[in-house]
Amino acid sequence: MTVPLPPHVQPVALPHAYRLLNHGPTVLVSAAHGDRLNVMAAAWNMPLDFSPPKVAVVLDKATLTRELIEHSGWLALNVPPVALADATFTVGSVSARDDTPATHPDKFTALQLAHWSAPASVAGTAPPDMPMQTPPLVTGCVGWLLCRLIPEPHMQQTHDLFVAEVVAAWADERVFTHGKYRPVADTPPELRTLHHMGAGLFVVPGQQVQASLLTPAPD
Amino acid sequence: MTVPLPPHVQPVALPHAYRLLNHGPTVLVSAAHGDRLNVMAAAWNMPLDFSPPKVAVVLDKATLTRELIEHSGWLALNVPPVALADATFTVGSVSARDDTPATHPDKFTALQLAHWSAPASVAGTAPPDMPMQTPPLVTGCVGWLLCRLIPEPHMQQTHDLFVAEVVAAWADERVFTHGKYRPVADTPPELRTLHHMGAGLFVVPGQQVQASLLTPAPD
């Protein structure tokens, strides 16, 4: 039996996956290991390569999500829209290491955040020595990049910087289609991406500018 | 004699420097070595630490700017606004390695891009064994992070990823003041930051959202 994707979710071809992050949105980082799962926010992320697509993300040592990633070798970057601004701020402000109502037993449960899983066909592509512990994909996001950790122990320890290869990606077709984001004016305001300024204040794309190539000055 | 800073340019306290990049703008990367200087665009950048502030940026092996940085150990990240959209697209589309009118002898000269230099007092803070070859700071940008390369040879070679420590920062006070960006509504449209979607298409912050912390679900 094939489990259908959630409504509006469509696969993104891997060579286009970097475009989900190219304009600098804040993401949610999710992971699972054994019977635990969790999610955090990360403004500090960027694409690292086109094809195969790779990403870099900064994960503080204090976070449980980092520990789950280090143990499982898998993570997802989820691109949250305006409709998830409060959830994004909250999962970025509390830690499941603190056993409070806001985090117990994990932030998905405590905050009633829904999630979905990659189709089994995607999990089947994992190398035999690194079976996929499928990261939870956050419902209501507009883009998802399912990634396999590329271990870089020195960078992880010294700079909290993690590198991963994107093995599958999806997007909400109302926001991103045919390998790119739709024009801002055609994107419902609640589905636009979030760009964190600090302290829960986000800026949101409101216009777009098409640049032209300059002509060089005469000698 | 003290050379004044350009109009509207004010120093940014180092612990606030990461906030210039936190929301994901595309930057211009500039560098100088010997009698050469150059500039390129980089959408793939992110803060890496708060204090001392560090940044990460992806620099393709084909670029002359990367070569200047590898030789000098110094670079600047310049945050261009809408008014520099064409310049940003152009310096990101042509290489000074190609000896064309658009790049000869360097992109500053060919495209008539003005630049300014960090005050001598900043250069004086460089370690004796690593004298500052002051990167050109691009006039008309709204933020500048002057950085010293932290050599990470494996990451540079394998992933084109460069790590640097920010040693001084400045911002245009019309855009960023008291350690943070002004509200979008108070920022003139031509001074807002650029977030590259691809092929010269940029999105620009147009609204902002203040998130609230969610209350956990009852057990």
Side-chain angles (χ1 to χ4, degrees):
Chain A
M1 185 186 116
T2 303
V3 178
L5 294 171
H8 302 297
V9 177
Q10 295 289 335
V12 172
L14 284 179
H16 300 154
Y18 79 94
R19 292 189 189 151
L20 288 164
L21 303 181
N22 206 72
H23 66 307
T26 292
V27 301
L28 304 179
V29 184
S30 56
H33 180 247
D35 61 355
R36 299 210 69 172
L37 73 173
N38 210 23
V39 58
M40 60 178 279
W44 298 2
N45 71 81
M46 64 180 179
L48 194 56
D49 210 343
F50 297 103
S51 188
K54 293 176 192 158
V55 296
V57 61
V58 179
L59 304 173
D60 192 82
K61 291 182 183 68
T63 66
L64 174 64
T65 303
R66 171 174 169 156
E67 184 182 318
L68 299 177
I69 294 167
E70 288 176 323
H71 280 94
S72 72
W74 294 93
L75 66 155
L77 304 188
N78 311 258
V79 182
V82 168
L84 289 183
D86 290 350
T88 301
F89 180 40
T90 306
V91 302
S93 301
V94 297
S95 172
R97 287 197 190 285
D98 306 323
D99 188 19
T100 71
T103 64
H104 183 75
D106 60 71
K107 289 184 259 180
F108 282 102
T109 304
L111 301 170
Q112 297 188 301
L113 297 174
H115 54 90
W116 56 285
S117 293
S121 58
V122 171
T125 65
D129 61 340
M130 201 169 163
M132 187 179 297
Q133 307 208 24
T134 315
L137 301 166
V138 184
T139 301
C141 282
V142 295
W144 299 265
L145 300 98
L146 178 59
C147 306
R148 183 172 56 224
L149 185 64
I150 297 174
E152 290 287 358
H154 166 71
M155 295 302 284
Q156 294 170 206
Q157 195 59 35
T158 306
H159 298 297
D160 294 336
L161 188 150
F162 288 70
V163 173
E165 180 177 337
V166 184
V167 302
W170 301 267
D172 186 314
E173 63 190 351
R174 295 170 295 176
V175 175
F176 185 103
T177 186
H178 296 101
K180 54 187 173 184
Y181 279 96
R182 289 181 186 268
V184 171
D186 298 346
T187 306
E190 72 276 15
L191 295 184
R192 296 182 188 170
T193 53
L194 294 166
H195 302 253
H196 195 220
M197 289 292 204
L201 182 66
F202 297 93
V203 287
V204 178
Q207 59 165 134
Q208 58 187 46
V209 174
Q210 176 60 58
S212 300
L213 289 174
L214 293 175
T215 303
D219 280 333
Chain B
M1 185 185 116
T2 303
V3 178
L5 293 170
H8 302 297
V9 177
Q10 295 289 334
V12 172
L14 284 179
H16 299 154
Y18 79 93
R19 292 189 189 152
L20 288 164
L21 303 181
N22 206 72
H23 66 308
T26 293
V27 301
L28 303 179
V29 183
S30 56
H33 179 247
D35 61 355
R36 298 210 69 172
L37 75 172
N38 210 26
V39 59
M40 61 179 278
W44 298 1
N45 70 82
M46 65 179 179
L48 195 55
D49 210 344
F50 296 104
S51 188
K54 293 175 192 159
V55 296
V57 62
V58 179
L59 304 172
D60 191 82
K61 291 181 182 68
T63 66
L64 174 64
T65 302
R66 171 173 169 157
E67 183 182 318
L68 299 177
I69 293 167
E70 288 175 323
H71 280 95
S72 71
W74 294 92
L75 66 155
L77 304 188
N78 312 258
V79 182
V82 168
L84 288 184
D86 290 350
T88 300
F89 180 40
T90 306
V91 302
S93 302
V94 297
S95 172
R97 288 197 189 284
D98 306 321
D99 188 20
T100 71
T103 65
H104 183 75
D106 61 71
K107 289 183 257 181
F108 282 102
T109 305
L111 301 170
Q112 296 187 302
L113 298 174
H115 55 89
W116 56 283
S117 293
S121 57
V122 172
T125 64
D129 61 340
M130 200 168 163
M132 187 178 298
Q133 306 208 27
T134 315
L137 301 167
V138 183
T139 301
C141 283
V142 296
W144 299 266
L145 300 97
L146 179 59
C147 306
R148 183 173 54 224
L149 184 64
I150 298 174
E152 292 287 359
H154 165 70
M155 295 302 284
Q156 294 169 207
Q157 195 58 35
T158 306
H159 298 296
D160 294 336
L161 188 150
F162 287 71
V163 173
E165 180 176 337
V166 183
V167 302
W170 301 268
D172 186 314
E173 63 190 351
R174 295 170 295 176
V175 175
F176 185 103
T177 186
H178 297 101
K180 54 188 173 184
Y181 279 96
R182 289 181 186 270
V184 171
D186 297 347
T187 306
E190 72 277 14
L191 294 184
R192 297 182 189 171
T193 53
L194 294 166
H195 303 251
H196 195 221
M197 289 291 203
L201 181 67
F202 297 93
V203 288
V204 179
Q207 60 167 132
Q208 58 188 46
V209 174
Q210 176 60 58
S212 301
L213 288 176
L214 292 174
T215 303
D219 280 333

